[in-house]
Amino acid sequence: MKIGLALGAGSAKGLAHIGILQVLEDAGIRPQVIAGTSMGAVIGGFYASGLSPAEMEKMAVSITKEEVKKLLPKKPSLTHLVDNQRIKRLFYRILGNKRIEELPLKFGCVVTDILSGREVYFTSGPMVEAILASSAIPGFFPTVKIGDRYLVDGGGCGSCARGARQEAGGRLYNSG
């Protein structure tokens, strides 16, 4: 039976997904499909690309206050607090130019098209842009433009769970 895992939002609390993945691995359970939204898309995307929970934990605990301060834009912005260009560079260093459909583990992430208000479920395309869009909390991070769409945080995990369940065709574990 295929197992799908849906990881929800939660900002920094979403880092708990790393522990969930570690517990599952320790129990010999490895999902065949992972879906996420917001921080769940970041953690799920890193995992689907081959990073272990231990590697992600090491990265998370090594972030300093000074590094977080560097994310603030040099000039104040009326649209966002954090400059995602540095995050984008970091994600590219970690993930490279991977595409979702080329990952070793099936992955999808939920974003919201800010113009239509509709949820969009990415199962293909550039990995970094998809997870940046899924975690672009309005007012905090800038909107991400992909094609003709302006995308922001995927919000609730309802679609995230449905997508993982459909792909897995079996048991679904929802940690968000």
Side-chain angles (χ1 to χ4, degrees), residues 14-128:
L15 293 172
H17 295 318
I18 297 169
I20 290 166
L21 289 166
Q22 186 63 61
V23 167
L24 289 172
E25 281 196 358
D26 291 347
I29 299 168
R30 182 159 167 86
Q32 288 78 37
V33 177
I34 194 159
T37 191
S38 199
M39 184 56 98
V42 175
I43 301 303
F46 283 13
Y47 188 73
S49 73
L51 279 145
S52 71
E55 290 169 313
M56 289 186 279
E57 180 183 5
K58 185 177 177 182
M59 286 188 298
V61 298
S62 71
I63 298 170
T64 66
K65 286 182 184 179
E66 289 73 33
E67 290 171 315
V68 172
K69 286 179 188 177
K70 288 179 185 177
L71 298 175
L72 299 174
K74 290 181 177 40
K75 291 182 179 180
S77 170
L78 296 175
T79 61
H80 57 275
L81 292 174
V82 176
D83 177 9
N84 72 355
Q85 291 305 309
R86 289 187 178 167
I87 296 170
K88 188 176 189 175
R89 285 193 296 272
L90 172 66
F91 286 0
Y92 270 109
R93 265 199 318 272
I94 295 166
L95 298 168
N97 287 320
K98 290 181 181 170
R99 296 184 58 80
I100 295 171
E101 64 272 23
E102 298 168 349
L103 297 176
L105 184 64
K106 274 192 164 245
F107 173 74
C109 67
V110 178
V111 302
T112 302
D113 182 323
I114 200 164
L115 298 178
S116 71
R118 292 195 170 119
E119 290 182 336
V120 178
Y121 191 67
F122 277 97
T123 57
S124 64
M127 181 71 173
V128 169

